[in-house]
Coordinates of all heavy atoms in Angstrom, one line a residue:
F152 N -59.4 37.4 -19.5 CA -59.9 36.2 -19.0 C -60.6 36.5 -17.7 O -60.2 37.3 -16.9 CB -58.7 35.3 -18.7 CG -57.8 34.9 -19.8 CD1 -56.7 35.6 -20.1 CD2 -58.2 33.9 -20.6 CE1 -55.8 35.3 -21.1 CE2 -57.3 33.6 -21.7 CZ -56.1 34.3 -21.9
I153 N -61.8 35.9 -17.6 CA -62.6 35.9 -16.4 C -62.9 34.4 -15.9 O -63.5 33.7 -16.6 CB -64.0 36.7 -16.5 CG1 -63.8 38.1 -17.1 CG2 -64.8 36.6 -15.2 CD1 -65.0 38.8 -17.5
L154 N -62.2 34.1 -14.9 CA -62.4 32.8 -14.3 C -63.2 32.7 -13.1 O -62.7 33.3 -12.1 CB -61.0 32.0 -14.1 CG -59.9 32.2 -15.2 CD1 -58.6 31.6 -14.8 CD2 -60.4 31.6 -16.5
N155 N -64.3 32.0 -13.1 CA -65.1 31.9 -12.0 C -65.1 30.5 -11.4 O -65.8 29.7 -12.0 CB -66.6 32.3 -12.2 CG -66.6 33.7 -12.8 OD1 -67.2 33.9 -13.9 ND2 -66.3 34.8 -12.0
L156 N -64.2 30.2 -10.6 CA -64.0 28.8 -10.1 C -64.7 28.4 -8.8 O -64.6 29.3 -7.8 CB -62.4 28.6 -10.0 CG -61.5 29.0 -11.2 CD1 -60.1 28.8 -10.8 CD2 -62.0 28.2 -12.5
V157 N -65.3 27.2 -8.8 CA -66.0 26.8 -7.5 C -65.2 25.6 -7.0 O -65.5 25.2 -5.8 CB -67.4 26.3 -7.9 CG1 -68.2 27.5 -8.3 CG2 -67.5 25.3 -8.9
K158 N -64.1 25.2 -7.7 CA -63.2 24.3 -7.1 C -61.8 24.4 -7.8 O -61.7 24.9 -8.7 CB -63.8 22.8 -7.2 CG -63.8 22.2 -8.5 CD -64.3 20.8 -8.4 CE -64.3 20.0 -9.8 NZ -64.8 18.7 -9.7
Q159 N -60.8 23.8 -7.1 CA -59.4 24.1 -7.6 C -59.3 23.3 -8.9 O -59.7 22.1 -9.0 CB -58.5 23.6 -6.6 CG -57.0 24.0 -6.8 CD -56.2 23.7 -5.7 OE1 -56.0 22.7 -5.3 NE2 -55.3 24.8 -5.2
V160 N -58.6 24.0 -9.9 CA -58.4 23.3 -11.1 C -57.1 23.9 -11.8 O -56.9 25.0 -11.6 CB -59.7 23.5 -12.1 CG1 -59.8 24.9 -12.5 CG2 -59.6 22.7 -13.5
T161 N -56.5 23.1 -12.7 CA -55.3 23.5 -13.4 C -55.8 23.7 -14.9 O -56.2 22.7 -15.5 CB -54.2 22.6 -13.3 OG1 -53.8 22.5 -11.9 CG2 -53.0 22.9 -14.2
L162 N -55.4 24.8 -15.4 CA -55.7 25.2 -16.9 C -54.4 25.5 -17.6 O -53.6 26.2 -17.1 CB -56.8 26.2 -17.0 CG -58.1 26.0 -16.2 CD1 -58.8 27.4 -16.2 CD2 -58.8 24.9 -16.8
V163 N -54.3 25.0 -18.9 CA -53.1 25.3 -19.7 C -53.7 26.1 -20.9 O -54.5 25.6 -21.6 CB -52.4 24.0 -20.2 CG1 -51.2 24.3 -21.1 CG2 -52.2 23.1 -19.0
F164 N -53.1 27.3 -21.0 CA -53.5 28.2 -22.2 C -52.4 28.1 -23.3 O -51.2 28.4 -23.0 CB -53.6 29.6 -21.7 CG -54.6 29.8 -20.6 CD1 -54.4 29.6 -19.3 CD2 -55.9 30.2 -21.0 CE1 -55.4 29.8 -18.3 CE2 -57.0 30.3 -20.0 CZ -56.7 30.1 -18.7
T165 N -52.8 27.9 -24.4 CA -51.9 27.8 -25.6 C -52.5 28.7 -26.8 O -53.7 28.6 -27.0 CB -51.9 26.3 -26.2 OG1 -51.4 25.5 -25.2 CG2 -50.9 26.2 -27.4
D166 N -51.7 29.7 -27.2 CA -52.1 30.6 -28.1 C -51.2 30.6 -29.3 O -50.1 30.0 -29.3 CB -52.2 32.0 -27.5 CG -53.3 32.8 -28.2 OD1 -53.7 32.5 -29.3 OD2 -53.8 33.8 -27.5
S167 N -51.5 31.3 -30.3 CA -50.6 31.4 -31.5 C -49.3 32.0 -31.1 O -49.2 33.0 -30.3 CB -51.3 32.4 -32.6 OG -52.5 31.8 -33.0
P168 N -48.1 31.5 -31.5 CA -46.8 32.0 -31.2 C -46.7 33.5 -31.6 O -47.1 34.0 -32.6 CB -45.9 31.1 -32.0 CG -46.6 30.0 -32.4 CD -48.0 30.4 -32.6
T169 N -46.0 34.2 -30.6 CA -45.7 35.6 -30.9 C -44.4 36.0 -30.2 O -43.8 35.1 -29.5 CB -46.9 36.5 -30.4 OG1 -46.6 37.9 -30.9 CG2 -47.1 36.5 -28.9
A170 N -43.9 37.1 -30.2 CA -42.7 37.5 -29.6 C -42.7 37.7 -28.1 O -41.8 37.2 -27.4 CB -42.0 38.8 -30.3
M171 N -43.7 38.4 -27.7 CA -43.7 38.7 -26.2 C -45.2 38.6 -25.7 O -46.1 39.2 -26.5 CB -43.1 40.0 -25.9 CG -43.0 40.4 -24.4 SD -42.5 42.1 -24.2 CE -40.7 41.8 -24.5
R172 N -45.4 38.2 -24.5 CA -46.6 38.3 -23.9 C -46.5 39.0 -22.5 O -45.5 38.8 -21.7 CB -47.3 36.9 -23.6 CG -47.6 36.2 -24.8 CD -48.5 35.0 -24.6 NE -48.5 34.0 -25.6 CZ -49.1 34.1 -26.8 NH1 -49.8 35.2 -27.1 NH2 -49.0 33.1 -27.6
V173 N -47.5 39.7 -22.1 CA -47.6 40.4 -20.8 C -48.9 40.0 -20.2 O -50.0 40.2 -20.7 CB -47.4 41.9 -20.9 CG1 -47.5 42.5 -19.5 CG2 -46.1 42.3 -21.5
K174 N -48.9 39.3 -19.0 CA -50.0 39.1 -18.3 C -50.1 40.0 -17.0 O -49.2 39.9 -16.2 CB -50.1 37.6 -17.9 CG -50.8 36.7 -19.0 CD -50.9 35.3 -18.5 CE -51.7 34.4 -19.4 NZ -51.1 34.2 -20.7
L175 N -51.2 40.6 -16.8 CA -51.5 41.3 -15.6 C -52.7 40.8 -14.9 O -53.7 40.6 -15.4 CB -51.8 42.8 -16.1 CG -52.2 43.8 -14.9 CD1 -51.2 43.9 -13.9 CD2 -52.7 45.2 -15.5
F176 N -52.4 40.5 -13.6 CA -53.5 39.9 -12.8 C -54.2 40.9 -12.0 O -53.7 41.6 -11.1 CB -52.8 38.8 -11.9 CG -52.0 37.8 -12.6 CD1 -50.7 38.1 -13.1 CD2 -52.6 36.6 -13.1 CE1 -50.0 37.1 -13.9 CE2 -51.9 35.7 -13.8 CZ -50.7 35.9 -14.2
L177 N -55.6 40.9 -12.4 CA -56.3 42.1 -11.9 C -57.1 41.7 -10.6 O -57.5 42.6 -9.9 CB -57.4 42.6 -13.0 CG -56.7 43.0 -14.3 CD1 -57.9 43.2 -15.3 CD2 -55.9 44.2 -14.1

Side-chain angles (χ1 to χ4, degrees):
F152 303 93
I153 304 173
L154 311 180
N155 302 120
L156 307 180
V157 296
K158 68 179 185 179
Q159 195 172 54
V160 66
T161 296
L162 302 173
V163 182
F164 296 87
T165 304
D166 211 336
S167 301
T169 190
M171 178 186 288
R172 295 193 203 283
V173 183
K174 272 188 169 62
L175 173 64
F176 300 86
L177 302 173

